[in-house]
Amino acid sequence: MDHLDKLSQTHLYSLRTLKTPGIGRMVAKVLIVITIIFILFLFLPWQQNIRGKGKLTALSPQNRPQLIQSAIAGRISQWHIIEGDFVNRGDTLLSITEIKDKYFDPNLISRMEEQLEAKRNSQEAKTDKTIALRNQIAALRKALVAKNSQAKNKLNQAVLKLEADSLAFVAEQVNYENSASIFERNKKRYEAGNITLTKFQELESKFRMSAAKVLKAENEWLQRKADLANAELELTSIEADYTDKISKAQSNLNETIASLNETKAQISKMENELSNVRIRREQYQIIAPQSGYVVKAIKVGIGETIKEGDAVVTILPESDDKAVEMYVKAMDIPLISKGKKVRVQFDGWPALQFSGWPNVSVGTFGGVVAIVDRVQSNNGMFRILVKPDPDDEKWPEQLRLGSGIKGWVMLNNVPIWYEIWRQMNGFPPMIYEDGETPKEEMKK
């Protein structure tokens, strides 16, 4: 113990006399203050956001840069504009000439019109022929009715005459039989000498006359039978004859109608070809579909051949319609909806952006989500379109379509420590405060 006391009194005296330097105390205090500030900083509010990149475009497709294409194949003969020119709708951009030999003839339209007129005259002639054939068929049918009526009348007359001659023939036969009976009785009386020769000859003459009358009546009756047969044959032949004529006329009518329809089809085809040629002639001048600036001429050389559908020039329509085309990750797309606020930073535009504190950001501009695509793009991300926020600062007029941008879709406020913890763990942002869904969103 004595040894230790001596050692403490001699060797440790200088150690006991040492003091903590002032600079050390200051550093310690500063570190403590910084630690306290950092801890307090972790509890400051931070607005969650979804980051994305993209470019400046137009919200309406018709206001985006468009390629002007040639509807027909041709050869460039003259340019009427230069790059950077402003053109109005309907202005001629360039002229082309024909390269298909089918359309080389300068009088092609007039020749086609002459051919079309000839076909139309042929159509009129065939139309008149169909009318004449229809009238002919109607006349034949009327004639058939009249001839049938006339033949039937003759047939009825022949029937009546046959009946009359038949009765006359029967009457003459009765008279003949009576005359024959009288003649035979008187012949016996003459032979017996009861009557004179003169009387007998008179009776014989009457008998011969009666026989002649029977023969005449029979001939007339046979003639009437022949007339009846002829009348029936005439009625049948009239029907067959007029049916044949009507059939031939109907056949001619059908052929004429078929030819007329074919002519109509040819006329329609020729009219279509004529219209196509006229429209093709109008395509020799490529005009601006809307007002805008000529951005770039794609086909430039005089005499250069272009195909159908080839783009010849790019036009930027004159419009103040601007929007941001921004791409975000698939994991963030469920959190983005139409109407969400966005902060936008344009390339080449000086800005100081604090994504979590948009109120203190400088050089950024406000936007509103206008469209959210329902399918992913080729790059595997989802596209959203952001239009200017009407309640925020107006976007610069110097902006050009196609300029790059950075954007932040603003979500909810959370403490900074939570945002750091979320970023370190790769968790998605919170959609709603306190993890609850507002009633208004549930109703939607």
Side-chain angles (χ1 to χ4, degrees):
M1 286 296 292
D2 296 338
H3 177 72
L4 292 174
D5 291 339
K6 290 179 180 179
L7 179 63
S8 173
Q9 292 175 359
T10 57
H11 294 85
L12 298 179
Y13 173 78
S14 60
L15 181 63
R16 289 197 304 269
T17 59
L18 289 176
K19 295 183 180 179
T20 302
I23 188 68
R25 292 191 186 94
M26 184 179 297
V27 170
K29 291 179 182 179
V30 170
L31 291 176
I32 292 173
V33 171
I34 291 175
T35 302
I36 295 173
I37 293 175
F38 178 73
I39 294 174
L40 294 176
F41 174 79
L42 292 178
F43 287 92
L44 291 176
W46 179 270
Q47 188 165 12
Q48 291 181 308
N49 57 81
I50 297 173
R51 299 186 180 187
K53 293 183 178 181
K55 62 182 180 179
L56 191 67
T57 184
L59 185 62
S60 175
Q62 69 179 13
N63 294 326
R64 298 171 187 171
Q66 63 178 115
L67 295 174
I68 308 302
Q69 300 170 333
S70 175
I72 62 173
R75 182 179 292 106
I76 298 176
S77 62
Q78 183 181 2
W79 281 95
H80 300 278
I81 48 89
I82 60 174
E83 293 178 346
D85 281 353
F86 178 82
V87 293
N88 294 311
R89 179 179 179 182
D91 287 352
T92 302
L93 303 177
L94 71 155
S95 300
I96 62 176
T97 57
E98 191 59 71
I99 60 173
K100 291 187 176 181
D101 56 357
K102 179 181 178 181
Y103 305 102
F104 280 170
D105 186 0
N107 300 320
L108 180 61
I109 292 180
S110 61
R111 299 183 195 280
M112 294 183 69
E113 288 176 346
E114 291 174 359
Q115 295 173 3
L116 181 59
E117 184 64 24
K119 277 294 180 181
R120 285 173 177 167
N121 293 335
S122 176
Q123 179 186 8
E124 292 179 1
K126 290 177 181 179
T127 302
D128 294 339
K129 185 177 179 181
T130 57
I131 295 173
L133 286 172
R134 286 192 175 98
N135 293 335
Q136 182 182 357
I137 292 172
L140 287 173
R141 285 175 177 166
K142 290 181 180 179
L144 174 60
V145 172
K147 286 291 184 180
N148 276 334
S149 178
Q150 184 179 2
K152 287 179 180 179
N153 290 335
K154 287 184 178 180
L155 180 62
N156 292 333
Q157 291 175 3
V159 170
L160 295 175
K161 288 181 179 180
L162 178 62
E163 291 177 354
D165 289 345
S166 176
L167 293 176
F169 175 60
V170 171
E172 291 299 333
Q173 283 183 331
V174 172
N175 291 335
Y176 172 75
E177 291 175 357
N178 291 335
S179 297
S181 176
I182 294 172
F183 175 74
E184 289 296 329
R185 287 197 307 267
N186 284 289
K187 182 178 180 182
K188 291 179 181 181
R189 289 177 63 190
Y190 170 73
E191 291 176 352
N194 294 329
I195 60 173
T196 63
L197 178 59
T198 303
K199 184 65 176 179
F200 174 73
Q201 289 176 346
E202 182 182 352
L203 292 173
E204 185 180 7
S205 176
K206 289 181 179 180
F207 171 69
R208 299 301 178 188
M209 290 178 62
S210 178
K213 288 181 179 181
V214 170
L215 183 59
K216 180 181 179 182
E218 183 179 7
N219 290 335
E220 290 180 354
W221 175 66
L222 293 174
Q223 182 64 37
R224 296 298 174 262
K225 287 182 69 177
D227 292 342
L228 178 61
N230 291 334
E232 291 175 347
L233 181 61
E234 184 180 2
L235 181 62
T236 304
S237 64
I238 288 173
E239 184 73 26
D241 184 34
Y242 276 88
T243 300
D244 181 60
K245 291 180 180 179
I246 291 173
S247 298
K248 289 182 179 180
Q250 187 67 48
S251 177
N252 291 335
L253 176 61
N254 293 336
E255 291 178 1
T256 305
I257 291 175
S259 179
L260 178 61
N261 292 333
E262 184 178 356
T263 302
K264 288 181 179 179
Q266 292 174 353
I267 289 174
S268 298
K269 183 179 179 180
M270 294 176 68
E271 288 177 343
N272 185 20
E273 292 177 352
L274 180 58
S275 298
N276 289 339
V277 171
R278 285 173 174 167
I279 294 174
R280 188 179 181 88
R281 292 289 174 91
E282 295 175 357
Q283 301 302 319
Y284 293 162
Q285 310 296 327
I286 300 178
I287 63 175
Q290 56 179 319
S291 300
Y293 294 91
V294 178
V295 178
K296 182 180 180 181
I298 301 172
K299 301 289 185 178
V300 296
I302 298 297
E304 185 174 355
T305 300
I306 57 178
K307 299 178 181 179
E308 296 177 3
D310 278 358
V312 293
V313 67
T314 303
I315 287 184
L316 176 64
E318 181 188 23
S319 174
D320 293 332
D321 180 22
K322 291 184 177 64
V324 165
E325 185 181 60
M326 193 168 73
Y327 293 90
V328 298
K329 297 179 180 179
M331 65 175 295
D332 297 328
I333 201 67
L335 309 179
I336 302 175
S337 60
K338 186 176 180 180
K340 285 285 186 180
K341 297 290 185 178
V342 182
R343 299 304 301 177
V344 182
Q345 177 183 345
F346 299 105
D347 286 355
W349 200 263
L352 182 62
Q353 168 64 18
F354 297 94
S355 60
W357 298 320
N359 294 332
V360 298
S361 298
V362 179
T364 62
F365 299 87
V368 179
V369 176
I371 297 173
V372 180
D373 280 356
R374 297 183 179 273
V375 294
Q376 66 178 2
S377 302
N378 295 332
N379 57 7
M381 304 182 76
F382 282 81
R383 186 190 69 152
I384 64 173
L385 289 178
V386 179
K387 63 181 181 181
D389 189 349
D391 300 328
D392 206 316
E393 183 182 357
K394 187 177 180 180
W395 290 6
E397 295 182 359
Q398 295 85 351
L399 295 175
R400 295 292 182 265
L401 299 189
S403 301
I405 63 96
K406 294 180 182 179
W408 296 266
V409 181
M410 312 311 296
L411 300 177
N412 297 316
N413 290 321
V414 296
I416 292 180
W417 67 265
Y418 176 84
E419 182 66 14
I420 295 174
W421 173 81
R422 182 188 73 79
Q423 294 283 356
M424 292 177 63
N425 289 274
F427 293 157
M430 295 176 59
I431 305 178
Y432 306 108
E433 295 181 1
D434 301 329
E436 296 182 358
T437 303
K439 295 182 180 179
E440 292 78 4
E441 296 291 335
M442 292 180 64
K443 289 180 181 179
K444 293 181 180 178

